[in-house]
Amino acid sequence: MTASAFIHRFEPATGAGSPPLLLLHGTGGDENDLLGLGKMISPGSALLSPRGRVLEHGMPRFFRRLAEGVFDEDDVRRRAHELGDFVAEARQRHGIAAPVAVGFSNGANIAAALLLLKPEALAGAILLRAMVPLSHPPEANQLKAQLGGKPVLLLSGQADPIVPASNSAQLAALLSQAGASVTHKVLPAGHQLSQADVSLARDWIGPIDARAA
Ligand code: MLT
């Protein structure tokens, strides 16, 4: 698997000190979708934005699902490793630090899987409307060393018809137990993003420095 195996966009940093962002779109999106969001959250960051390689009725995704909210977990594992390899190659090619993932919906779910399966790929993550991606994640004690302290912002929608409140709470607990430094906020929103998501993400990422990654 080479970096070019993912259709993607790369935009170099325009300012120093901001962490690179790995932008991961939702079902039916593509590599262009989150570039604007990335620029709003962290102006100056390098942006790495792949298109999911799975097609569901022609709509790109980052892994297969069997039904709404029911994931093909073997595929989740395989695709998370593929994405981690892509990130490693893109880092070498572009000379960038480990990125902070910014994922929405299906993109947030693959970012959560990446944190659990290949934590070295990311410096942290903003998970927008994410749910638990794996019913049998690696044991917390196997993960602590690599996930230890990585910052994760999880933003959920109180009225999200796709992600039940109990599921996002479970994801926050899982990532915390695995050693991540999790901030979880539940917004008065549904599955779609709101202005509050942008403001909270911008405020959260501000203090994160690329050199720390
Ligand atoms: C998923 O399949 O990852 C979640 O159900 C979110 C979605 O893409 O609708």
Side-chain angles (χ1 to χ4, degrees):
M1 168 82 40
T2 61
S4 54
F6 275 84
I7 295 168
H8 67 280
R9 297 271 303 264
F10 176 73
E11 296 201 2
T14 56
S18 311
L21 303 183
L22 174 68
L23 302 172
L24 300 166
H25 63 77
T27 302
D30 69 21
E31 67 280 11
N32 300 305
D33 271 27
L34 299 187
L35 293 172
L37 178 68
K39 285 175 194 165
M40 281 192 275
I41 292 177
S42 184
S45 281
L47 304 175
L48 178 62
S49 186
R51 184 191 300 182
R53 287 164 45 85
V54 168
L55 287 180
E56 183 184 89
H57 308 300
M59 295 187 294
R61 289 175 49 85
F62 287 95
F63 56 82
R64 273 177 235 290
R65 64 180 161 184
L66 308 173
E68 177 78 55
V70 184
F71 302 151
D72 174 342
E73 295 196 13
D74 287 340
D75 198 58
V76 173
R77 289 171 200 277
R78 186 161 77 86
R79 302 287 176 178
H81 283 285
E82 264 181 28
L83 184 62
D85 291 346
F86 162 75
V87 170
E89 277 192 45
R91 283 188 60 189
Q92 275 206 330
R93 180 184 296 195
H94 300 295
I96 55 172
V100 172
V102 178
F104 168 61
S105 190
N106 180 247
N109 296 340
I110 195 73
L114 203 51
L115 282 171
L116 293 167
L117 296 171
K118 233 174 153 43
E120 69 278 14
L122 298 176
I126 298 175
L127 306 177
L128 304 166
R129 311 297 184 268
M131 54 198 294
V132 175
L134 294 165
S135 49
H136 299 290
E139 294 295 319
N141 58 3
Q142 290 179 308
L143 278 165
K144 269 215 169 94
Q146 289 172 309
L147 250 182
K150 287 198 183 174
V152 175
L153 176 65
L154 174 59
L155 297 180
S156 308
Q158 197 176 29
D160 189 331
I162 296 177
V163 185
S166 57
N167 191 299
S168 53
Q170 200 189 332
L171 177 61
L174 180 63
L175 291 169
S176 297
Q177 282 155 18
S181 172
V182 179
T183 305
H184 183 200
K185 290 194 191 303
V186 182
L187 309 181
H191 197 66
Q192 293 312 311
L193 299 182
S194 65
Q195 188 54 43
D197 288 275
V198 180
S199 318
L200 287 166
R202 195 174 43 214
D203 292 349
W204 178 87
I205 207 165
I208 296 176
D209 192 312
R211 284 164 298 185

